[in-house]
Amino acid sequence: MRADHDEAAALLDGLDLDTLLKALVRGRGYEAALRDPPGRRGWSDEQPASLSFVDLDDRIDRLAGLLATNRAQPGATVAILAPLGPEAIVSILACLRAGLSPLLLPLHGNELELLRLIEASGAVMALGAGRVGPVRPLLMLRNLAVRAFGTRFVGGFGRDIPDGVAPLDILMASGARHPLPDEIERPALQVVDADNFAGPLVLSERELLGKALDISRMLKPMASSRVITTLVGGDLAALAAGPAMAILTGVELLPLGLFSLGDLHACLEGGRKAHLVVPGAMEPALARSKLASHPALASLVFIQRKAERRSHPALDRPDIAIVDIDVRSASEIEVERR
């Protein structure tokens, strides 16, 4: 066991998410990195789209430059209120590239809970999505910025941008690019427990990539496959099994944003092998459904949370890898293959 930890440590030496993305841009720049689910427009008003590794890197660079114009102290916190899709992933990586610490806020938090988290982190900026089903994250962030001492900039993705919020898509589409500081020290991420809102808890990129490496070793994803995640939150389990693993292995990531059985069926079609990430509580329903025997499934990752008691029936697919991620806290998980 010790040898495995030493080997993993050696593999991760000198690596961060930016280094891995830059390598993918050089080697496979025009292949798809992120893809929206077919039903994206229904819950966000945005047309489904995809980003290549080149597109993703460009959007990250433009947003990082915009954030850098606010001249925040190195390592300052940026609060993010968006599901774990393209907007949140671009925001996380842009913050890290600009030397800022991203704080992933739970979408289901009320104003008092989110205000406490923003004030505890000392967030100086906030980024969010325009609409997620009936939820309007930008309106919430604008209200919080008025009440939270020190939050001086709110930026939003999407078309329906309320007054007082900077329209990020328009600003990023302009020809102007803003330079980044010459020397940037990679900051930590901050995560929050989705059940009891404990946090913010600090999470290093090294810890995130270490867990993503553990998961990928059990799944062994091929570059031609895709990761489909039904998780919308941004704790260690969701980040490691979704965007971090996808960037580490160079696999296309397809985040559902809001769960839809029809979208999930559509995402499994098309001939690509799929590594599906779902909450552990969904296993009994999945075991009874036709999806359980879908030929596109290459592996299943079940996120087992403390508040969710495991129940039966359990899924029986001896031909594929099934991995359980036991969530101890927002920043601590255990990964085990069945």
Side-chain angles (χ1 to χ4, degrees):
M1 194 70 178
R2 178 68 188 170
D4 288 343
H5 284 302
D6 290 344
E7 182 186 347
L11 286 170
L12 295 175
D13 278 344
L15 287 182
D16 56 42
L17 292 165
D18 233 15
T19 305
L20 291 165
L21 179 58
K22 293 292 187 185
L24 289 168
V25 169
R26 290 191 298 271
R28 296 169 43 213
Y30 293 99
E31 295 180 30
L34 289 176
R35 191 179 299 277
D36 279 326
R40 169 72 197 257
R41 185 174 184 178
W43 55 264
S44 71
D45 301 326
E46 297 297 315
Q47 288 282 10
S50 65
L51 291 175
S52 68
F53 291 110
V54 166
D55 295 331
L56 177 60
D57 183 65
D58 182 66
R59 285 182 69 79
I60 291 165
D61 210 54
R62 288 178 179 275
L63 181 54
L66 281 172
L67 298 177
T69 61
N70 282 274
R71 302 188 183 281
Q73 291 292 320
T77 300
V78 180
I80 299 168
L81 190 62
L84 193 62
E87 293 87 352
I89 293 167
V90 167
S91 296
I92 292 165
L93 296 175
C95 289
L96 294 173
R97 187 173 290 185
L100 303 168
S101 176
L103 165 65
L104 287 304
L105 296 171
L107 272 170
H108 61 286
N110 64 39
E111 195 163 315
L112 285 177
E113 289 160 338
L114 296 183
L115 180 62
R116 180 190 66 78
L117 291 166
I118 285 177
E119 291 188 328
S121 71
V124 298
M125 289 178 265
L127 308 174
R131 182 167 81 87
V132 186
V135 180
R136 302 282 176 161
L138 291 180
L139 292 175
M140 176 81 81
L141 285 178
R142 186 183 65 178
N143 293 342
L144 291 172
V146 171
R147 298 176 63 184
F149 178 76
T151 306
R152 60 175 185 258
F153 173 86
V154 179
F157 296 94
R159 301 171 189 174
D160 188 12
I161 305 295
D163 291 341
V165 176
L168 294 177
D169 290 318
I170 294 173
L171 294 173
M172 290 160 63
S174 71
R177 283 182 181 268
H178 304 282
L180 293 171
D182 294 331
E183 292 186 15
I184 292 175
E185 184 174 334
R186 302 287 290 187
L189 297 90
Q190 297 177 64
V191 292
V192 176
D193 192 302
D195 294 323
N196 58 20
F197 298 96
L201 304 173
V202 174
L203 173 66
S204 72
E205 271 188 279
R206 177 91 174 203
E207 292 171 307
L208 174 58
L209 286 172
K211 291 302 182 183
L213 180 60
D214 289 344
I215 300 165
S216 65
R217 281 173 153 177
M218 296 176 189
L219 305 186
K220 298 181 173 59
M222 299 177 64
S224 59
S225 62
R226 65 168 45 135
V227 174
I228 302 172
T229 180
T230 65
L231 306 183
V232 296
D235 61 0
L236 173 56
L239 292 172
M245 183 174 67
I247 292 174
L248 183 66
T249 58
V251 173
E252 176 189 298
L253 177 65
L254 206 162
L256 282 184
L258 284 186
F259 181 77
S260 158
L261 191 58
D263 281 1
L264 182 53
H265 271 285
C267 294
L268 286 168
E269 301 303 329
R272 284 196 179 208
K273 287 294 184 181
H275 306 275
L276 179 60
V277 183
V278 294
M282 285 182 61
E283 184 172 2
L286 189 60
R288 296 187 189 98
S289 74
K290 292 180 180 179
L291 278 178
S293 58
H294 200 292
L297 280 180
S299 66
L300 280 160
V301 179
F302 290 110
I303 310 299
Q304 311 286 0
R305 300 189 185 277
K306 290 179 293 186
E308 298 168 351
R309 179 181 261 178
R310 296 193 191 188
S311 55
H312 294 283
L315 193 139
D316 184 23
R317 281 287 301 268
D319 58 317
I320 67 174
I322 299 180
V323 172
D324 289 302
I325 297 180
D326 280 311
V327 179
R328 307 288 175 83
S329 75
S331 61
E332 185 182 2
I333 61 174
E334 293 296 329
V335 182
E336 184 178 15
R337 179 166 175 167
R338 289 189 192 173

